[in-house]
Amino acid sequence: MTPLHPALARLTPAEAGGRLTLGLELPLDNDRGRSRQDADRAAGCPFGGPDLTEHTGLARLADRLGFAALWLRDVPLHDPAHFGDAGSVFETFTHLGHLAAVTDHVVLGTAAVVLPLREPLLVAKAAATVDRGRRRRAADR
């Protein structure tokens, strides 16, 4: 049997000492409350766009607190009126690369990637780049 990728192994209860693991879906700081809507409107910003001002700090905090994973969803079109949120309106693999550079232990992954809109070989290359960069960073620590 082929061994699990090291990141996947850290998410499975058997490898985690029998414990369930818990991850977070990003963005971590997308406030859709009334005060945020009013502030966005006053600033001329579209409704539902994530404010990533504190995103790096929150990702690092989740990493330090022991969350098992940070997940992104690939949302190619910003349409909060019909879809209810902006999800990850930023390019998924670029965003993962940033997270790989600012976190140490948390597993990074995609909860969904809209493959029909993407070139499969470029998706594989982007994912491998994030994975390889993360492994290299871990080896340097």
Side-chain angles (χ1 to χ4, degrees):
M1 184 169 157
T2 305
L4 288 175
H5 184 283
L8 291 178
R10 291 199 320 256
L11 296 178
T12 62
E15 298 296 326
R19 298 169 294 151
L20 291 177
T21 60
L22 182 64
L24 299 171
E25 183 181 358
L26 303 177
L28 299 172
D29 56 351
N30 198 16
D31 174 12
R32 292 183 193 88
R34 187 69 172 151
S35 61
R36 170 69 188 278
Q37 289 178 35
D38 292 343
D40 282 352
R41 195 172 295 116
C45 297
F47 167 72
D51 172 12
L52 297 180
T53 307
E54 301 296 325
H55 186 75
T56 298
L58 291 171
R60 286 179 174 150
L61 178 61
D63 191 33
R64 280 194 314 273
L65 291 176
F67 282 89
L70 295 176
W71 300 98
L72 295 177
R73 286 183 302 125
D74 186 23
V75 181
L77 303 173
H78 177 72
D79 188 359
H82 292 99
F83 294 109
D85 69 6
S88 296
V89 298
F90 304 102
E91 200 287 316
T92 303
F93 294 100
T94 305
H95 199 169
L96 285 171
H98 167 73
L99 293 172
V102 301
T103 58
D104 293 315
H105 308 289
V106 69
V107 173
L108 303 171
T110 59
V113 174
V114 185
L115 291 175
L117 297 179
R118 294 178 173 271
E119 170 60 49
L121 292 176
L122 293 178
V123 169
K125 185 176 182 176
T129 300
V130 172
D131 179 54
R132 195 67 160 173
R134 186 64 180 270
R135 286 190 198 202
R136 182 72 216 153
R137 186 165 180 263
D140 290 343
R141 275 183 254 134

